[in-house]
Amino acid sequence: MVKLAEYSRTATFAWSHHKIPYLITGTASGTVDANFSSDSTLELWSLLSTDTNKPVTSLTTDAKFNDLDWSHTNDFIAGALDNGKIELFSFEKNSDIPSLKSISQFAKHTGATKVVRFNPKQTNLFASGGSNNGEIFIWDVTKLTPTTKEYTPQAPGVPLSQIAEITSLAWNKSLAHVFASAGSTTHASIWDLKAKKEVIHLNYTSPTTGLKPQLSVVEWHPMNSTRVATATGADKDPSILVWDLRNSNIPLQVMSQTQTQGGILSLDWCSQDESLMLASGRDNTVTLWNPETGKQLTTYPSRTNWCFKTQFAPESPDIFASASFDSKIEVVTLQDLTNELDKQETVSKQSESEADFWNHVNQDDQHTKEKPIVWNAYTPKWYGAPSPAAHWGFGGKLVRIAQDGKSVILEKPNVKGLELNMELND
Amino acid sequence: MVAITNAHNELIHDAVLDYYGKRLATCSSDKTIKIFEVEGENYKLIDTLIGHEGPVWRVDWAHPKFGTILASCSYDGKVLIWKEENGRWSQIASHAVHSASVNSIQWAPHEYGAVLLAAASDGKVSVVEFKENGTLSPIIIDAHAIGVNSASWAPATIIQGNNGGDGKNVDELRRFVTGGADNLVKVWKYNKENSTYILDDTLEGHSDWVRDVAWSPSVLLRSYLASVSQDRSCIIWTQEDNEGPWKKTELQQEKFPDVLWRASWSLSGNILALSGGDNKVTLWKENLEGNWESAGEVEQ
């Protein structure tokens, strides 16, 4: 398996927060398909379906998407449309058959809407960012019904300085009134909705170029409310910077990719293990980092174009999806080890005749078989969680792991009325 | 009671006694396996087996008729087979057909030969037979979307009505159960014609990852399966006469205080030990009315 699914679309996407997640995809803005079609669709995919050409359900939309996000309660999907509108969709799952409906559309941004993000704590709120004048709006889904005619989203307050385009928004994972934004400027911004203003500016001078690179992406630590990551969008010296806001002058951690060069377009800090972060961008690759140690863990096989969005399935972080401009959304597993069967296949391929080789040669296959490079092995937290695993043995003996996790205890528990029975049988 | 303190430097994931209850194998996040000799109240470390490149999740002893053999599985995607000869342990085989963490292993009933079942995060289970002159090619099946957490053999079962005289014409009903990250429990059955295992039944009942499944080892007219889950519940599944529908019984109505990680049946098959994330081991037995009741709790 390993590559669980591949959807042949240039589309942005969002995961649902189900244990067996759904993926929603929306035709990406700025791309033209083979038929020069300007149609845009929103499609829902189930990982349990093996047909990657036929979505579970779909909707046609007025404009293409720059971003999509799924509410943490799974009821709503927000779309950032290229025509400046925000479109809100409802997701319902009645007796296992899911349905999608468009609820409402609002034109409040003066340029294209670039990004939408739901608040993980106050689940009815989402933020949107646009391409003009640093426009950010805060929306409340409980007020966006199909009959809502007039609605004015909230503005986050006063910026510290002029911002042009917003390309990334992230809500703090523990404080519902705090979020971060980044875009076309050399600083990332931290906003406080209670104070109604931008409270902190983050900027960074690259030691290799001496320049302040554009900080294009922001992402919060999954637990620590003062920790935030930003990434540089410039192709020269692309870096991921981890900051502790208590000292916002210099980053705590700088992670620079040495193998490839290309600005970073997407970051996702795993909600179930703070030692895992996915990054992808203009180097056409997806990289797994440990932002706690600054170590690069895994580099996934390269695509043929920019990877503009990469995200863990929030409730099943063993898998992630990434979208690239070469008409592909791939859903893959974090781990993809080379095994004996792969080796056998390589051996049989090497013994193929010339004619056979040219008959079977297929670029797509090559990519499918390519394995990630593991630089540093790391076992995610959700594996082998501490548990006093207990096993019965001969003679009614029970072996169990003690509470400290490092000791073993062998004993014969006294089970009322069954001692005799166990002695005889075991 | 024997307490082996600080047996490993990092978390221990499994500890299993051999067939005679004389040797104990433990495995850990420290990537090693340790073999202890246990005699009465005393224990002695015999060997530390090094070979895995990741945390070792589980170990299982082969039936003694095959020799002193231990299998282990790890996050490194490998199953390693270890053997003791003249007091010395060595790695004798490696089974590496999975592309992600191998989360559980179990030797088949010895009647089938040295056959091992492995369950992995790549969504597959594999069944491989080890022979004197090497292994046969493994049977690999796609079992659960997003990963298999556990797999457990049914006891060796002879189907009634066949000629059982010389043992050659007897039909065995080879089955095992798997539990996965798709919240499902699946029962698989060997199909002679295709030499593979086919899906026999899909059991729905859990609302979160199934962490462990255990098929009761006693050969009774009724088959018992226990499945434990991240949803903090344990379900007992029963089937009459090896065929027909599986009946679902919740071990207890209310949820357990924490995630349930492991289930183990006593060798006589009637006492179930459950271990959970709250560090508690609870024991359960079925009463005459067919309800499950507590048979005690193991003190920490």
Side-chain angles (χ1 to χ4, degrees), chain A residues 7-24:
Chain A
Y7 306 108
S8 312
R9 278 150 183 75
T10 300
T12 185
F13 70 88
W15 285 108
S16 76
H17 297 263
H18 297 103
K19 268 284 174 178
I20 302 167
Y22 287 98
L23 193 74
I24 190 100

Side-chain angles (χ1 to χ4, degrees), chain A residues 232-255:
Chain A
T232 62
D235 286 345
K236 205 158 174 36
D237 188 28
S239 315
I240 301 163
L241 315 163
V242 180
W243 307 80
D244 193 310
L245 297 178
R246 287 169 291 195
N247 176 10
S248 57
N249 296 322
I250 48 159
L252 202 66
Q253 188 82 257
V254 178
M255 300 184 281

